[in-house]
Amino acid sequence: MNRFSLLLLTLCAPALTVLADPGHHPPFEPNGKPLPQAITNPADYGTRLIPVSLRQRFNRDLLSGIQDAPTEVVLHGWRGETVQAQLLVESPKGFQNLIGGTASGKGSLKLIRYTTGKGVLLPDIVDDFQTFPLPGVVRPLLLTYQIPATAQGVIKDTVNVFVNGTHLQLPVTIHVEEATLPTPANWAFHLDLWQHPDAVARWHDVPLWSPEHLMLLRPQMRYLADMGQKTITCTLINEAWQEQTHDYFHQMVLVFKNPDGSWQYNYAPFDAWVTFARETIGMRNATINCYTMIPWSLTFAYTDLATHTVHKPKLVPGTPEYEAFWGPFLTDFVRHLKEKGWLAQTRLAMDERPDHLLRPALEVARRYAPELQIVAACDRPSAINRDFADVSYAYDHCEQLIAELPERKEQGKTTTFYTCLHPVRPNTLMYSDLAESEWLIPMAAHYGLDGMLRWAFHSWEANPFMSMDHVRFPSGDTALMYPGNRPSLRLVVMRNGIESFEKIRLLKEEATRLQRQDVLNLLNQALAQFTVSRGKQQGIHEADLVQLDKVLFQATSALTTPLR
């Protein structure tokens, strides 16, 4: 092996574990309509490597035309923080080969792949470099550094990229600020991204809950845990959401009716999933959110052992039949949770169910399982859901929560917001401005909310590498992570927003302790821009985030000595 080949292997040593895809899945990257671009007749600056904003997307098949591009990557961050930059490689003659890395080996350099949303070609998939020719004349790259907890001063490095044999370099300077970010397990932000293990089993053609399945889930769930995820998503019953996703949500508790009319339950899938999340991934403090006593179809599957047939009766809350099914179920479920030592962390979870169904279902839950607290995603506040231990409201209703938050916080309750197919803006969809995914997080800080819920971490379409379109929902609504442990750019910038949330929290705590009203005023003034109404405006999100970055740097500098 020659020296050049050895250098390429060193440059490509991955920090992110990417898993191989089954061979039957289609090609690497689709074709699609071009991403709209302001500069329609860009100048040709030749083959080059330039830093660009991580909060923007770039056209694959048209040169950027960026003039006076910076000649160095300059980053600022706390000890323990993940700092990132987006780089563009432009090659007017295309990419017969492209490979790269950092001179120190301490930074991670990844290729950003394209997929389609609404037929438009969009950069969203963070992946390894490839060994075959790539389409287009522009390829975005993601540069990532984890600042060590003991770092001080300035970190220097160099990015090396080889395009068609041409060697491009870009110096990197990271200014380490005199403050330390806790590890994600100790972040306060309440992140609730719903998981869908069934989709991973389908994509990789492995049996559900097999050792192979859990092995494939491991890197994705570790990535999620490294974002500070606070929940484990469990489905007690079949299809809580009435088959709205490409992959089925199988029940994790198998229900059997004995010939004498009594019931028995098999918890093997539930136990395998929860044990995996808690012990293998390390999410021991996460709540175990169990969906749901009120599925959208109101049907509940069980196997009749007398006839060996599967029944799916429709059972409406408030009827004797509903209680006859759920009463024994909940009684045995509580018994099992006590045996496993999971009772205190388990929640009965509801999703966007109306009060006339919630009320009788809750009566049954409190009669047979009073130990279990309730978590719910609700469109808007109501007399019933205000008492839930953990409740998430739709984006549009954040301002209605301000009056209730002090009492809920005093009671130790969690209050978050969520987006789904609504609102049109801001959101985490494929057609959303990339900055919107990050902007949503400091908005939670502005309103004093505890965090954010998003309904789908990895509920993939048939082939998300070809298209993120869904038959009913907006493109990108169903997933933030791609198969093989490839995060989306939307997820990457969301994580950056969570780090900003934590910095805001810590700076406010320290400024309050030191009675630095000037620093509090500085932070509050920057956060005042992050409102529900402003978030719906087009094109404001990146500028708000740039200003917040400046304020976080200023506030950190003002409190440097106490934060050392």
Side-chain angles (χ1 to χ4, degrees), residues 401-435:
L401 308 175
I402 295 174
E404 302 175 17
L405 285 173
E407 182 178 358
R408 285 187 59 82
K409 286 182 181 292
E410 187 176 343
Q411 295 170 349
K413 295 177 178 178
T414 300
T415 313
T416 66
F417 79 97
Y418 70 91
T419 66
C420 48
L421 66 165
H422 301 296
V424 173
R425 184 185 306 109
N427 215 317
T428 65
L429 306 170
M430 291 298 287
Y431 59 73
S432 304
D433 286 349
L434 195 55

Side-chain angles (χ1 to χ4, degrees), residues 94 134 162-163 173 246 265 304 388 425 549:
L134 301 174
F162 293 86
V163 185
T173 300
H246 182 84
Y265 308 92
D304 188 332
F388 293 167
R425 184 185 306 109
D549 289 342

Side-chain angles (χ1 to χ4, degrees), residues 121-163:
L121 202 57
L122 296 164
D124 197 48
I125 307 165
V126 179
D127 199 358
D128 287 339
F129 286 94
Q130 306 298 319
T131 57
F132 46 80
L134 301 174
V137 294
V138 173
R139 302 303 309 198
L141 309 176
L142 179 66
L143 176 65
T144 303
Y145 288 90
Q146 176 74 38
I147 300 178
T150 56
Q152 290 185 342
V154 175
I155 298 172
K156 293 281 190 177
D157 203 356
T158 302
V159 173
N160 292 290
V161 171
F162 293 86
V163 185

Side-chain angles (χ1 to χ4, degrees), residues 396-538:
D396 283 344
H397 302 293
C398 287
E399 290 179 350
Q400 299 178 30
L401 308 175
I402 295 174
E404 302 175 17
L405 285 173
E407 182 178 358
R408 285 187 59 82
K409 286 182 181 292
E410 187 176 343
Q411 295 170 349
K413 295 177 178 178
T414 300
T415 313
T416 66
F417 79 97
Y418 70 91
T419 66
C420 48
L421 66 165
H422 301 296
V424 173
R425 184 185 306 109
N427 215 317
T428 65
L429 306 170
M430 291 298 287
Y431 59 73
S432 304
D433 286 349
L434 195 55
E436 294 174 26
S437 295
E438 182 180 356
W439 189 96
L440 286 162
I441 310 303
M443 188 211 69
H446 167 66
Y447 287 115
L449 297 169
D450 297 306
M452 178 182 178
L453 177 152
R454 194 71 172 80
W455 79 271
F457 176 56
H458 51 187
S459 287
W460 299 318
E461 303 309 314
N463 187 346
F465 295 134
M466 294 294 106
S467 174
M468 286 293 285
D469 292 345
H470 186 275
V471 293
R472 291 168 52 197
F473 304 136
S475 184
D477 192 32
T478 62
L480 291 164
M481 172 70 78
Y482 288 87
N485 195 41
R486 300 169 174 97
S488 68
L489 268 185
R490 296 167 291 136
L491 190 65
V492 166
V493 298
M494 179 187 290
R495 190 185 188 282
N496 292 342
I498 295 171
E499 288 191 323
S500 293
F501 181 99
E502 292 301 310
K503 292 165 86 170
I504 292 164
R505 175 180 66 85
L506 293 168
L507 288 168
K508 282 192 168 186
E509 288 177 359
E510 192 67 11
T512 299
R513 186 182 72 84
L514 296 172
Q515 298 182 337
R516 290 291 302 271
Q517 190 61 45
D518 58 326
V519 175
L520 290 171
N521 291 342
L522 185 68
L523 291 166
N524 290 332
Q525 183 178 0
L527 288 174
Q529 301 296 316
F530 292 81
T531 64
V532 167
S533 58
R534 180 172 172 82
K536 293 184 177 183
Q537 299 177 34
Q538 187 170 7

